[in-house]
Amino acid sequence: MALNPYFNNYDYKPQQDLLEDLVEESIKINGINVYYIPRRFANLDQIFGEDSSTSFKDALQIEMFMDNYSGFSGEREIISKFGLEIRDTLSLVVSKRRFQKEASKFPIMPDRPVQISNPMEGDLIYLPFTKGLFEIKFVDNKEIFYQFGKLYTYKLECELFKYSYETINTGTSD
């Protein structure tokens, strides 16, 4: 049986806009305020993709939805031959449209010649209620299903940040 030709479930912009508005509203209702902190590079090695002198100078407050309800996941605390390691992970969901709107307020950085339009691996998320700093390890921008033919969120897989001489001065009191 063929699909009904009178219903357009994949290209109808008013339906997509309505669902996007509902996704943003549900994140604002059920989410938490976090700080998104983009990484700045000083001397990026183009071959290995690493920099020994990164810094974090800007912070953007935005609402995100905590995807795992049972608290932090991951391997938790383990004792290895190097001592106690804390490996807490966190999954956050942020609206694409909302992130792009807020990220457009960032100045264009010398190491990123284009405006920030999506979260990137290596950037930080600060949770004020736990006072925890998490590093984005993976940004999932391709969900399995395209609802009404469009994707509306980014899913951020984060891990507790391991400080290694980076400069963090965002200007926010938290």
Side-chain angles (χ1 to χ4, degrees):
M1 180 173 192
L3 291 176
N4 190 330
Y6 300 108
F7 292 96
N8 184 354
N9 292 328
Y10 298 104
D11 290 329
Y12 192 57
K13 184 145 175 54
Q15 276 184 333
Q16 291 175 342
D17 292 343
L18 174 64
L19 185 58
E20 193 163 24
D21 290 342
L22 291 172
V23 166
E24 280 185 20
E25 186 174 349
S26 67
I27 290 174
K28 286 182 179 181
I29 291 170
N30 299 314
I32 55 174
N33 282 330
V34 301
Y35 286 98
Y36 174 78
I37 307 168
R39 181 181 297 262
R40 290 178 172 239
F41 298 103
N43 299 315
L44 181 65
D45 184 352
Q46 296 296 328
I47 295 173
F48 295 111
E50 55 188 27
D51 187 359
S52 60
S53 57
T54 60
S55 63
F56 300 94
K57 296 183 180 178
D58 300 302
L60 165 70
Q61 188 174 19
I62 191 166
E63 64 279 349
M64 293 187 186
F65 176 74
M66 193 178 298
D67 198 24
N68 41 355
Y69 288 102
S70 61
F72 301 119
S73 59
E75 297 176 10
R76 313 278 305 171
E77 295 85 19
I78 62 169
I79 298 177
S80 68
K81 63 182 177 181
F82 301 110
L84 178 67
E85 292 183 33
I86 300 174
R87 296 184 179 176
D88 289 337
T89 62
L90 174 67
S91 290
L92 296 167
V93 177
V94 63
S95 165
K96 280 187 173 186
R97 181 173 65 182
R98 184 86 176 97
F99 185 86
Q100 290 167 353
K101 178 183 173 188
E102 290 298 317
S104 67
K105 298 175 184 175
F106 277 128
I108 294 178
M109 300 178 201
D111 58 319
R112 290 184 184 175
V114 295
Q115 186 68 38
I116 295 174
S117 61
N118 60 320
M120 296 181 67
E121 289 87 358
D123 293 346
L124 301 180
I125 302 289
Y126 177 72
L127 298 174
F129 70 92
T130 63
K131 300 198 183 327
L133 198 57
F134 289 83
E135 182 177 5
I136 299 173
K137 292 295 184 179
F138 180 70
V139 177
D140 186 6
N141 57 357
K142 301 279 189 233
E143 289 286 330
I144 296 172
F145 298 109
Y146 285 70
Q147 298 166 343
F148 295 123
K150 190 176 174 185
L151 295 172
Y152 306 99
T153 60
Y154 295 113
K155 185 173 183 180
L156 310 176
E157 301 294 334
C158 305
E159 190 175 279
L160 198 61
F161 180 63
K162 294 178 183 121
Y163 178 75
S164 61
Y165 303 104
E166 292 89 355
T167 304
I168 302 174
N169 186 9
T170 61
T172 59
S173 60
D174 282 342

